[in-house]
Amino acid sequence: MSIATPTTPVIPAFDKGLGNTVAAETQMSFIDGGRGVLEYVGIEIDALARNSTFEETVFLLWNRRLPKQSELNAFSEQLRAEYALPQTLVNLIREMPRAAGPMHVLRTLVSALSLFDSEVDNDSVEANNHKAIRLLAKTPALIAAFDRHRKGKPIVEADTSLTMAQNFLYMLNGSKPTESMARALDVCLILHADHGLNASTFAARVTISTLSDMYSAMVTAIGTLKGPLHGGANEEVMIMLNEIGSIENVDAYIAEKLRKRDRIMGFGHRVYKAIDPRATYLKTFSKQVAADTGNLNLFEMSRRIEEIMAKEVAAKGIYPNVDFYSATTYHSIGIDLDLFTCMFAMSRIAGWAGHCIEQLDGNRLIRPNAAYIGPHQQPYVAVDQR
Ligand code: CMC
C-alpha cells in the first residue's frame, strides 16, 4: 500500500481589498480607471446619459443590445405590470417604526418581498428574469411608501402610465413631477445602473454563487451598498455640504479635514485614478438642475471643494466620484438626504440582478482563501487552568 506524500499547499498571494484580483467575467460594464472610461455593453456612459432612458439602459444591460422601439415598449409594459406592491406588504410598511433608517427598511422590505414571489426558489433563467423585473419594478414603491408612512402621509399607489422615474417621484410626492425633475432622476438612475465588480455586486455574486436565491443576493447587496465607503457616500456628501453651510466656509472646512487626514466623501475610487466619467457628466447636469431649483449655492460649494481637492490630492489619483455631484442633484429634485443611498439601490438592482444571472451561467462557488496568521501547535488548556 503506498502512502500518499503530503503536498505543499499552493497559497495564492494575499491581495488586501482584492484590488488586483479578477473574480468574475461580465458583459455588462467596462471600466478603464486610468482613462476615466465607463461603458455599458460598449456604449459610453456619456452617450447613454444624454440619449437613453433608464428602462432602455436596463434592457441594454440585460440583453447586451439596445432594444427596437417595440421591444422597449414591451419591456416597459412588463415593468409597469409589476409596479404595485402586495397589500400585506403595504400593511407591513404601515407598522414600521417611523424613525427607522431607510436603508434598513429597504433591506428588510426586499427580503419581505420574497415571501410573495411564487418563483422565489426557482432558479431557472426564465424565473430569474421574472424576479429581476419584479425586484426592479417594485423597489421604488417600497422606498416611496415608507417615506410617505414616516411622514404621516397616505401611501400613493403606483401609476402604470408613468416611467419608473416619473412614477417614483409621483409615489413620493403625491403629484406628478415636472419633466425636468423626472429627467434628472432618470439620468441618475442610468449613471448608477451598473459598475463592474463593485463591493455590493461582488456580494450579490457571492450569495448567488452558493445557489441561494436572487432575493437573498439583493438583500446582501443592499447591506453592502449601505456603507459610507460605497453607496452611503452620497448621503455623507450632503451632510458635509450642510455642515459647511456656505461658500465662505469651504476652504477652512476642507483644509481642517485634510489636516486631520479625514476622507472627503465623494472623492476617490478604487478603480478610477482619473475623474469618474459619471461625475463629469453629473457636474454639468447638476449645475443646471441646481440653477432651476434655486440650489446654485450647493453647486458652487461643491465646485470649490473640487478645486481645493484638485490642488491638494489629485496627485494621488483622487478625483470626484459619482456620489459627489449626485448628492446636489438628488437634493435639488427634493429627495431627503437619508433616501440618497436608496436611490442608488433602486438603480443598481439592475446591475445586481444582471450579475446574478451572469454568475449562474456556468456558476462556480466563489470561495477565496484567507491567509492564516495565528499560532500553531497550541495546547488545549482546561477551563479551570486558564
Ligand atoms: N479624501 C481624502 N483622501 C483620500 C480619499 C478621500 N476621499 N480617498 C482616498 N484618500 C487617500 C487615502 O488617505 C490614501 O492616502 P495615503 O496613501 O497618503 O495614505 C490614498 O488616498 C489611497 O487611499 P485608499 O484607501 O488606499 O484607496 P482605496 O482604493 O482603498 O479607497 C475609497 C477607495 C472609495 C474607499 C476611498 O477613496 C474613499 O474612502 N472615498 C470616500 C468615500 C466615497 O466617496 N466612496 C464612494 C465611492 S464611488 C461610489 C461607489 O461605487 O460606491
Side-chain angles (χ1 to χ4, degrees):
M1 197 168 85
S2 67
I3 297 170
T5 35
T7 51
T8 317
V10 180
I11 302 174
F14 175 36
D15 177 17
K16 191 171 184 176
L18 303 183
N20 295 309
T21 298
V22 177
E25 290 180 316
T26 182
Q27 295 180 45
M28 294 198 289
S29 54
F30 165 78
I31 306 165
D32 181 336
R35 291 192 299 130
V37 171
L38 169 63
E39 295 170 351
Y40 291 167
V41 195
I43 303 177
E44 288 223 24
I45 195 66
D46 193 75
L48 291 166
R50 277 175 209 287
N51 304 305
S52 189
T53 61
F54 182 55
E55 283 83 347
E56 183 182 66
T57 298
V58 177
F59 185 101
L60 170 71
L61 289 168
W62 288 358
N63 296 279
R64 327 281 187 255
R65 63 179 176 82
L66 287 169
K68 295 193 170 84
Q69 187 62 55
S70 58
E71 291 173 317
L72 179 58
N73 295 347
F75 182 60
S76 301
E77 280 313 312
Q78 279 181 301
L79 286 166
R80 288 172 192 212
E82 293 290 349
Y83 279 176
L85 297 178
Q87 189 53 44
T88 321
L89 203 58
V90 176
N91 297 342
L92 176 68
I93 294 170
R94 290 201 177 102
E95 297 299 320
M96 289 189 138
R98 291 186 168 169
M103 281 298 279
H104 290 293
V105 168
L106 182 61
R107 192 190 58 237
T108 306
L109 289 177
V110 167
S111 186
L113 205 51
S114 70
L115 309 178
F116 301 91
D117 194 324
S118 59
E119 294 182 296
V120 63
D121 284 319
N122 180 343
D123 68 356
S124 68
V125 175
E126 203 190 11
N128 279 331
N129 286 338
H130 296 157
K131 283 181 270 184
I133 286 176
R134 283 181 203 127
L135 278 154
L136 190 73
K138 293 188 196 302
T139 298
L142 299 175
I143 301 165
F146 174 70
D147 190 60
R148 302 280 301 178
H149 158 68
R150 70 177 175 165
K151 290 176 174 159
K153 295 178 178 169
I155 290 173
V156 178
E157 272 183 34
D159 181 337
T160 55
S161 71
L162 302 177
T163 66
M164 286 196 61
Q166 289 169 334
N167 181 47
F168 172 72
L169 292 172
Y170 168 66
M171 291 185 294
L172 192 71
N173 300 320
S175 57
K176 296 207 174 134
T178 63
E179 228 171 84
S180 62
M181 291 300 103
R183 180 60 190 154
L185 178 60
D186 205 41
V187 166
C188 289
L189 296 177
I190 292 170
L191 295 176
H192 286 87
D194 190 44
H195 204 238
L197 203 60
N198 58 85
S200 55
T201 300
F202 180 56
R205 284 189 88 131
V206 169
T207 299
I208 205 78
S209 85
T210 69
L211 303 185
S212 183
D213 67 285
M214 201 182 274
Y215 284 91
S216 299
M218 297 302 121
V219 171
T220 310
I222 292 168
T224 307
L225 183 74
K226 176 175 164 288
L229 296 188
H230 190 7
N234 55 15
E235 187 175 331
E236 299 291 332
V237 171
M238 198 61 223
I239 292 170
M240 172 175 75
L241 291 172
N242 285 339
E243 267 173 22
I244 297 175
S246 71
I247 188 105
E248 308 82 65
N249 303 333
V250 170
D251 290 46
Y253 181 96
I254 298 296
E256 177 61 4
K257 282 252 175 204
L258 291 177
R259 192 189 61 73
K260 290 196 300 192
R261 297 186 63 79
D262 283 353
R263 282 173 187 231
I264 309 297
M265 291 295 152
F267 282 82
H269 200 277
R270 172 60 60 79
V271 182
Y272 293 117
K273 299 304 166 200
I275 188 160
D276 177 339
R278 302 167 297 176
T280 312
Y281 185 78
L282 266 181
K283 181 177 173 178
T284 321
F285 188 75
S286 72
K287 182 176 183 185
Q288 192 53 50
V289 181
D292 290 350
T293 53
N295 287 297
L296 215 47
N297 59 324
L298 283 179
F299 176 79
E300 293 303 345
M301 277 175 7
S302 308
R303 214 178 48 162
R304 181 66 195 140
I305 297 172
E306 190 185 344
E307 270 169 18
I308 301 171
M309 292 295 278
K311 261 199 251 140
E312 301 294 331
V313 292
K316 285 191 204 170
I318 297 167
Y319 295 93
N321 59 49
V322 66
D323 286 326
F324 190 60
Y325 285 104
S326 61
T328 319
T329 312
Y330 290 140
H331 178 82
S332 300
I333 310 173
I335 292 168
D336 289 353
L337 80 89
D338 65 353
L339 293 183
F340 288 7
T341 312
C342 292
M343 299 296 96
F344 195 154
M346 190 166 117
S347 162
R348 188 56 63 83
I349 293 255
W352 295 331
H355 276 268
C356 284
I357 291 168
E358 280 189 325
Q359 179 65 35
L360 288 174
D361 183 11
N363 179 54
R364 186 166 192 232
L365 174 74
I366 299 176
R367 202 298 187 192
N369 290 294
Y372 175 69
I373 54 168
H376 292 282
Q377 303 292 308
Q378 298 295 296
Y380 176 80
V381 180
V383 69
D384 58 349
Q385 289 163 36
R386 289 173 207 164

